[in-house]
Amino acid sequence: MHLVVVSQSSTFGGAERYLNRLFSRLRVAGDEPLLVGHVPGWDEEALRHVDVRLGPKWSKSTMIGGLLRLPAERRRVVRAVRAREVDLFHLQFKREQIGFTKALAKLGPVVWTEHGQFLQGVSGRLLASRYRVASRYVAAIICVSEAVATDVRAVVADPSVVHVIENGVGDGSSTPATAAARTAARQRLGVAEDVPVVLWIGRLHSAKRPEMAVRLAGEFEGVVLIAGEGPERAALERTSSSLTNVRLLGHLDEPELAYAAADAVFFTSSSAAREGLPTTLVEAASHALPVVAVADTGLDELMTELGVEVAPSGSGPHEWARAIHRATAERERSRSRMVAWAGRHSEESWVGAHRARFESTRSSWTLQSQRTGSN
């Protein structure tokens, strides 16, 4: 299939990793992806792209300028794809979904992916009204969890277009790193072999609360690895400057290194992050790493499924450190749940589910177009 991804981003977060992982593997399977826009990591995967000078992703600070630029950006996108063979369009950021779907749906079926629950408050309601209008022209919406799907169904014009494909990584096993892999990973990251190591990994954004990992380090008798980039990087550098047991790793091209080096994962996203199914937790399960989470993630059902140790509400660094040491010492206690969960979330099944949805969507759109054309 000729798959056209329309997306613009300057950060490398979970949504960007999703695009790189999915479409690089679909290419291996014989599909032909093309990116219209820019996504970090796409060039490294040697995937084709065309730059149409799209502005930044929509946010509170970019929304007004984004709306003013939208008509010209839409024309450039349509011009870039009109003469190409296209079987399906894929969009996952709100500017592209709201601004481009109606125009692109005249050329092929449009599929959206949703990674998080819908925004709340005034901003969320304003966005939802535009989102609902644009959803009249979407052929399918893929959500990474049932919680996300529930939010989306409440907003879209036709809830029947909403489908759930949960994230998947690895081969479906839950396998700890070998002693050799652990040693090699720690050597590459500059971490001693004989110390406990806890990993925080994700986008350095206030809603994900990476500063909690720095606070943890003050009570943790070991090393705290913080992997990722984002707007909180400078603040973390300042607050961790006096601590010798914090390693700010930045963006990792091989996040597997951090998981191999770690004894446990610390998950601190707040409910305000509106997480769907965080890749961090999927990867922790794949690497058989115990997870300790704070109490207000908004992911209670998922925490139970994975056997995650949830620190008591209102607890602080001392309690977090104790929970991490306890989870590490008793890692086999939650192992059976992780094994079962990882077995249902392999990368092969994840890619296969997307390809099946894409093919089904394309076939339905073609049939509908033929019926419309015959009238």
Side-chain angles (χ1 to χ4, degrees):
M1 296 178 71
H2 293 84
L3 307 169
V4 175
V5 180
V6 183
S7 185
Q8 181 76 22
S9 176
S10 59
T11 61
F12 195 89
E16 290 77 13
R17 288 186 64 195
Y18 162 92
L19 290 177
N20 281 283
R21 287 175 54 230
L22 176 60
F23 288 96
S24 64
R25 282 149 185 78
L26 286 172
R27 184 191 59 181
V28 171
D31 294 307
E32 297 187 31
L34 170 71
L35 171 66
V36 176
H38 172 78
V39 172
W42 193 269
D43 287 342
E44 286 79 355
E45 296 288 348
L47 295 166
R48 296 185 304 138
H49 80 280
V50 55
D51 188 356
V52 291
R53 307 187 316 282
L54 297 178
K57 286 196 291 186
W58 280 359
S59 66
K60 289 181 180 179
S61 62
T62 65
M63 181 72 74
I64 294 176
L67 288 170
L68 293 173
R69 287 189 296 268
L70 193 57
E73 290 180 334
R74 183 166 47 239
R75 287 193 295 270
R76 290 198 294 272
V77 167
V78 171
R79 190 160 51 241
V81 301
R82 188 181 294 279
R84 298 178 184 272
E85 184 175 357
V86 178
D87 291 309
L88 181 140
F89 293 101
H90 180 274
L91 316 177
Q92 70 173 19
F93 296 129
K94 293 298 175 286
R95 181 261 309 277
E96 288 85 343
Q97 292 171 343
I98 292 172
F100 304 155
T101 296
K102 181 178 180 180
L104 294 177
K106 298 174 183 178
L107 305 175
V110 177
V111 174
W112 297 349
T113 293
E114 293 297 342
H115 296 272
Q117 298 177 56
F118 224 82
L119 290 173
Q120 301 299 299
V122 176
S123 297
R125 289 193 294 273
L126 290 173
L127 197 64
S129 64
R130 290 177 173 268
Y131 187 91
R132 180 179 176 83
V133 171
S135 74
R136 296 170 184 167
Y137 307 96
V138 72
I141 304 175
I142 296 171
C143 298
V144 301
S145 73
E146 188 56 46
V148 174
T150 298
D151 266 18
V152 173
R153 290 188 188 108
V155 176
V156 295
D158 178 7
S160 70
V161 304
V162 180
H163 310 276
V164 176
I165 301 178
E166 295 189 335
N167 289 330
V169 298
D171 60 3
S173 67
S174 181
T175 308
T178 64
R182 182 177 185 271
T183 297
R186 290 192 172 200
Q187 287 177 345
R188 288 184 61 179
L189 296 174
V191 178
E193 176 64 24
D194 58 350
V195 299
V197 175
V198 63
L199 169 66
W200 188 102
I201 184 168
R203 186 160 184 256
L204 305 182
H205 187 279
S206 59
K208 295 179 181 288
R209 301 185 295 196
E211 75 280 359
M212 285 184 168
V214 176
R215 292 173 58 200
L216 166 68
E219 297 285 345
F220 186 66
E221 295 179 359
V223 173
V224 177
L225 302 177
I226 301 177
E229 287 290 355
E232 296 297 305
R233 175 63 184 262
L236 293 174
E237 289 175 342
R238 289 193 301 272
T239 56
S240 66
S241 61
S242 62
L243 298 170
T244 60
N245 63 334
V246 176
R247 304 281 192 278
L248 292 176
L249 304 178
H251 166 68
L252 294 176
D253 290 328
E254 301 176 70
E256 295 79 11
L257 276 178
Y259 289 101
D263 297 305
V265 169
F266 188 38
F267 184 78
T268 62
S269 286
S270 68
S271 56
R274 312 296 291 167
E275 300 266 20
L277 181 56
T279 305
T280 296
L281 298 179
V282 185
E283 291 179 330
S286 177
H287 289 84
L289 285 172
V291 177
V292 170
V294 294
D296 58 342
T297 63
L299 300 168
D300 295 350
E301 184 176 340
L302 177 60
M303 298 302 170
T304 300
E305 285 185 42
L306 284 170
V308 171
E309 172 110 13
V310 179
S313 179
S315 61
H318 181 68
E319 290 83 2
W320 304 338
R322 290 183 60 187
I324 287 167
H325 285 302
R326 184 168 57 250
T328 302
E330 303 173 1
R331 64 189 305 161
E332 291 304 315
R333 179 174 56 84
S334 61
R335 183 73 191 282
S336 61
R337 290 185 181 182
M338 281 200 166
V339 167
W341 196 89
R344 300 193 301 270
H345 294 80
S346 71
E347 186 166 84
E348 181 179 2
S349 63
W350 176 73
V351 173
H354 278 85
R355 196 172 201 287
R357 177 53 56 193
F358 289 168
E359 289 177 339
S360 172
T361 300
R362 172 60 182 173
S363 296
S364 297
W365 186 87
T366 300
L367 182 60
Q368 181 63 34
S369 297
Q370 290 171 347
R371 288 174 176 170
T372 303
S374 63
N375 291 334

